[in-house]
Amino acid sequence: MTLAPPRGERALPVLAGALLALAFAPAAFLLPSFVALAPLLVFIAERPAGAAGRWSATRGALATGAVFYGLRLTWILVALGDRSALAVPAYLLTVLLLAATLGLFGWAVHHVRQHLTIPLPLLAAVLWTGLEWAHAAAGPLAFPWLALGTSLAPFPRLAGAADLAGVRGLSFWLAAVNGAVAVLVLRARAGRPCRLAPAGTLALVLVPVVYGVARAASLELRTAALVAVVQPNIPDDLRRDRTAALDSSLATLARLTAALPGRAIDLVVWPEVALPAALALDRSLVDSVAALSRRAAAPVLLGSYGLEPAGARLVAFNSAFLVGPRGLAGPRYDKRLLVPFIERVPFLPPAPMHRFVGGTLYYGALGAGAAAPVMRTGAGSRFGVLICYESAFGALARAYRRDRADFLVNITNDGWYGRDAWYGRTSALWQHPAHLVLRAIETRTGVARAASTGFSLFIDPLGRTYGRIPLFREGVAVEPVLTTSAVPLFVRWGDWLASLAALAAALMVLTAVWRARRSTVPHPRRRPPWRHSREVDPGNPRGYILRLARNRTRGCA
């Protein structure tokens, strides 16, 4: 059994991978979201029964995953290229692991179809959503990037159903539509078209869209706070020299903050690790930020490093601090979900930070936070903080909304995703903020995003972006953050549909495996099939006619 698909088994899997890549930013075409999986599903459905067909389906799905993830995760090479000699191995390992999960999807679809009678649209939706649930629930290796539902971020009116079942609810819907399209293709190829099938597929597409449009029209938006986001555009190579980065960042941020218009601003937001130092241990830094807070007449939320003793050692955290006119105000927030292999090596304790101030902070050495305090603006509005790629996790935003947060703030450093030249800008610069569109729709709250460089922006509860600061430009945007009084079903019930899909997927696969094993064990009292049913008896003319009629009408049943 070879791993690479042989001639004749490459076109459809590769086409599926390419279409999936086109569905996501920066391409972000709409049609591929609804048809990209269909070529792979057609390929799997046409594989013969048995081990050979199952391996062929697995191999084809692996090829789809290799093309899709290989094209859309090239930013890993850019992000890690100047930081670690493991950039290429990390990229290849990530693509391989994610492609392997897609290979498991192909194996499961083929195996379940062979042993259970489940409509292909439902089967594709359950197994695909269960797979995405596993991506998000993988503990230290969790990586819910490129969920199929996220491809609808540029089309927020179509993604309105996310407030019912989250982004994986959208993935369930899109996978079902892809399965329905695959059924149409399979019937056409077999010469068994059915007039009702296109109408059913169209209805499957339109029902969630109609809900999203109607829901958006019924929501009442109100202003939660007037927020200023500051984008200093500090070059990534400069940020690696902590002393130079600290001086340059503070000077740029102070200049931009001091130039804020004389308006009743409720909150000023600086990016992730805006001040690369242990803020709480440097009184002069706190005093400098407090002076800017007094000048802006608003507290400043900024990223820096928090330190906590762990025995005789110090553990550093990627933290968010709120600094008011009198200094540090309220509890800090420590990032809870760390980027694997960048901020922390999975399954290992954080390395000791004996000489943090004035010393070196090594990659993979950060500690993970535990609490998620809701902070307050100067006017009393409540907000929750998401740092960097925590924006990809709907559960964090949901927890803030359940704690009565009025809006969300995301601070991030996207400078390591690319360079100013057009050829140095990777897809992650667009993929990363796309997650926040879904967080806004899921929770029906507004979002303010401050990036070290592009894109800093605002998102309203309907998923619409505004107040955008361009890539690799310094600037300030002052906009009202909108919110609603709605408490969506997703906020109340969480990822309920994805959890049910994961459970159903496990039951389907286990039942199929059990039936496969049972069919290979001879039964001492087993009789020929024609003794159980006249319909399948080739010697019975009436049964033969019934079987022909059943096969002719099966496509429309």
Side-chain angles (χ1 to χ4, degrees):
M1 293 185 180
T2 60
L3 185 61
R7 186 182 298 275
E9 295 186 9
R10 301 170 187 169
L12 289 178
V14 170
L15 174 61
L19 288 175
L20 279 171
L22 290 175
F24 290 86
F29 293 112
L30 176 59
L31 183 60
S33 298
F34 295 89
V35 301
L37 283 178
L40 176 61
L41 294 172
V42 169
F43 174 82
I44 295 172
E46 292 182 339
R47 297 307 94 195
R54 193 156 53 250
W55 172 243
S56 177
T58 304
R59 191 168 49 196
L62 278 169
T64 297
V67 173
F68 170 42
Y69 292 114
L71 289 175
R72 277 293 164 254
L73 295 179
T74 51
W75 55 263
I76 296 177
L77 294 171
V78 177
L80 299 183
D82 297 336
R83 289 175 166 83
S84 172
L86 299 177
V88 173
Y91 165 74
L92 294 177
L93 180 62
T94 303
V95 171
L96 177 61
L97 289 176
L98 292 173
T101 64
L102 205 50
L104 180 62
F105 169 80
W107 176 90
V109 171
H110 184 276
H111 198 56
V112 173
R113 276 178 57 83
Q114 184 177 344
H115 297 284
L116 300 177
T117 305
I118 299 176
L120 184 57
L122 178 61
L123 179 60
V126 168
L127 293 179
W128 185 271
T129 308
L131 179 68
E132 289 193 359
W133 179 90
H135 286 173
L141 294 177
F143 192 66
W145 201 276
L146 297 178
L148 187 58
T150 311
S151 66
L152 293 182
F155 314 98
R157 285 299 181 95
L158 304 183
D163 70 355
L164 296 177
V167 66
R168 278 170 285 280
L170 297 180
S171 296
F172 185 96
W173 166 47
L174 292 175
V177 173
N178 276 269
V181 172
V183 169
L184 293 177
V185 174
L186 287 168
R187 287 173 177 167
R189 287 162 71 99
R192 295 188 294 110
C194 178
R195 295 180 180 179
L196 298 179
T201 302
L202 182 60
L204 184 60
V205 173
L206 290 181
V207 169
V209 172
V210 170
Y211 168 82
V213 173
R215 179 63 167 159
S218 66
L219 284 172
E220 295 184 3
L221 307 185
R222 59 181 174 84
T223 299
L226 187 65
V227 177
V229 295
V230 183
Q231 180 170 295
N233 192 36
I234 303 300
D236 191 57
D237 53 355
L238 177 61
R239 292 176 62 87
R240 295 175 211 166
D241 183 341
R242 296 193 180 278
T243 302
L246 178 60
D247 294 339
S248 179
S249 295
L250 183 58
T252 303
L253 290 165
R255 173 171 52 81
L256 294 173
T257 304
L260 285 172
R263 299 165 63 183
I265 296 172
D266 298 312
L267 181 68
V268 178
V269 184
W270 292 359
E272 176 189 15
V273 196
L275 300 180
L279 183 66
L281 300 182
D282 194 328
R283 185 64 189 177
S284 63
L285 275 181
V286 175
D287 291 341
S288 299
V289 179
L292 292 169
S293 173
R294 289 192 295 272
R295 182 165 183 172
V300 177
L301 179 77
L302 63 98
S304 188
Y305 291 114
L307 290 180
E308 289 291 340
R313 302 174 177 177
L314 289 176
V315 175
F317 297 85
N318 185 348
S319 303
F321 294 84
L322 192 64
V323 179
R326 298 182 179 180
L328 292 173
R332 74 168 190 258
Y333 170 69
D334 297 328
K335 187 177 181 182
R336 291 173 288 169
L337 298 177
L338 304 175
V339 182
F341 303 105
I342 300 298
E343 295 178 316
R344 185 172 185 177
V345 179
F347 310 113
L348 295 179
M353 295 289 100
H354 290 301
R355 295 192 309 109
F356 178 79
V357 179
T360 302
L361 176 64
Y362 295 95
Y363 291 104
L366 293 176
V374 175
M375 301 182 183
R376 290 183 179 272
T377 67
S381 299
R382 298 165 59 87
F383 66 93
V385 180
L386 302 171
I387 299 180
C388 189
Y389 104 127
E390 287 184 327
S391 60
F393 294 83
L396 302 184
R398 171 179 174 256
Y400 281 127
R401 186 60 165 161
R402 286 173 62 89
D403 286 342
R404 296 180 293 110
D406 297 308
F407 64 99
L408 302 172
V409 173
N410 176 230
I411 60 174
T412 185
N413 169 27
D414 283 6
W416 63 322
Y417 289 146
R419 306 293 180 267
D420 191 9
W422 64 269
Y423 52 82
R425 301 183 179 190
T426 70
S427 58
L429 290 165
W430 288 266
Q431 292 171 15
H432 198 190
H435 294 94
L436 286 172
V437 173
L438 275 301
R439 302 295 83 80
I441 297 174
E442 288 170 344
T443 60
R444 293 304 183 184
T445 55
V447 181
R449 183 181 199 256
S452 58
T453 184
F455 291 103
S456 296
L457 48 78
F458 296 83
I459 307 171
D460 73 10
L462 305 183
R464 300 173 299 190
T465 60
Y466 58 102
R468 180 187 301 240
I469 302 176
L471 286 171
F472 301 103
R473 299 289 184 271
E474 68 174 42
V476 177
V478 182
E479 298 284 351
V481 180
L482 304 177
T483 190
T484 69
S485 300
V487 182
L489 185 65
F490 175 77
V491 173
R492 295 196 300 267
W493 289 11
D495 227 353
W496 61 273
L497 182 57
S499 300
L500 289 177
L503 178 61
L507 291 176
M508 286 179 182
V509 172
L510 291 175
T511 303
V513 170
W514 175 75
R515 287 195 175 182
R517 295 190 62 181
R518 187 185 179 195
S519 65
T520 60
V521 178
H523 197 284
R525 297 184 179 180
R526 194 168 187 178
R527 297 179 179 181
W530 59 84
R531 295 190 180 182
H532 292 278
S533 172
R534 296 174 61 194
E535 183 186 12
V536 296
D537 183 1
N540 185 337
R542 180 173 177 273
Y544 183 70
I545 293 173
L546 288 174
R547 187 176 61 177
L548 283 178
R550 183 192 63 188
N551 290 339
R552 281 176 172 271
T553 59
R554 180 180 295 169
C556 296

